[in-house]
Each structure stands twice: as structure tokens, then as C-alpha cells.
Amino acid sequence: MCGDCTKAVAPDRGTTCLEGGCYFLNYKGCAKCHKLDTPKATEATTTSNDGEEEITFTHLCKHCDHEIAKHTYTFKVEEGFQEYMMLCKLCGRGNDTVSVLPNDPRRGAPLF
């Protein structure tokens, strides 16, 4: 994986978790062939283990197949919450937790 192809290495993306695609705004261009074009991705690999699903793929330069970054996206349901996590040198790092219940118990009672 190459840190020279990105403007920032694994920037904080807050609650943004991409299952596919890429964060093009963080792409500086290929450090090997010096071309700036949308990276391509390898075929995604999905693994499931104890209710946790992990999707991994690699971002590559579409001109010279230079490896830009490995992308990992994780999803699991735990104690009534869906948990998402993303880690990638190009797309950044992010995580989010969403309640599976209609009313999120972490938030206060409705005002109305």
C-alpha cells in the first residue's frame, strides 16, 4: 500500500463508511505512473464470522495496477445496534452505530 498516492493517510471520515467506491478527493494521483484517474478496485472478498461480515478489496491505479490502498469494511449487529466500520488509506477511517429499534434508546424521549 502506498502513502504517496494520497493527500492524507486514512483521514477521519466520522460516520461515513463506504462499502464500495473510493474517496477521490483524497487521491493525489498514482505515485508510480503519475496519472490522475479514478482508481479501480479488485474483486471484493466477503467473509462472515460470528455474525460479523467483512468486505475487503484493493484500490489500484487503472493504468499501471499500482496498489494504492487496501479497503476494509466491517458490519455487525451487537446488542440491538448495527455497527459499521471502514479503514482505508485512501477512503479514510470511519465508524457508525445505528439502533435496530424504531426509537433509539440512546436518544431522549420524543418532544411531541
Side-chain angles (χ1 to χ4, degrees):
M1 282 153 298
C2 181
D4 295 331
C5 297
T6 60
K7 296 176 184 174
V9 176
D12 183 6
R13 299 290 307 282
T15 59
T16 300
C17 297
L18 303 174
E19 187 175 337
C22 75
Y23 183 44
F24 190 72
L25 292 175
N26 190 37
Y27 186 50
K28 194 164 50 174
C30 179
K32 185 176 177 186
C33 72
H34 306 289
K35 293 187 178 177
L36 178 62
D37 208 345
T38 306
K40 65 181 181 177
T42 60
E43 188 71 30
T45 303
T46 304
T47 56
S48 296
N49 192 11
D50 293 331
E52 182 172 302
E53 182 178 279
E54 183 175 283
I55 298 171
T56 57
F57 61 89
T58 305
H59 296 288
L60 302 171
C61 173
K62 69 167 46 171
H63 299 283
C64 68
D65 284 339
H66 174 71
E67 187 174 306
I68 299 163
K70 181 180 175 187
H71 187 106
T72 304
Y73 169 85
T74 308
F75 169 80
K76 65 181 175 180
V77 177
E78 191 171 278
E79 297 180 11
F81 292 95
Q82 295 176 334
E83 296 181 11
Y84 304 87
M85 189 177 79
M86 172 185 73
L87 182 60
C88 176
K89 282 186 176 183
L90 175 62
C91 300
R93 64 190 185 288
N95 58 49
D96 195 12
T97 303
V98 180
S99 174
V100 296
L101 301 172
N103 295 317
D104 190 339
R106 297 173 300 173
R107 299 180 190 204
L111 298 175
F112 301 95

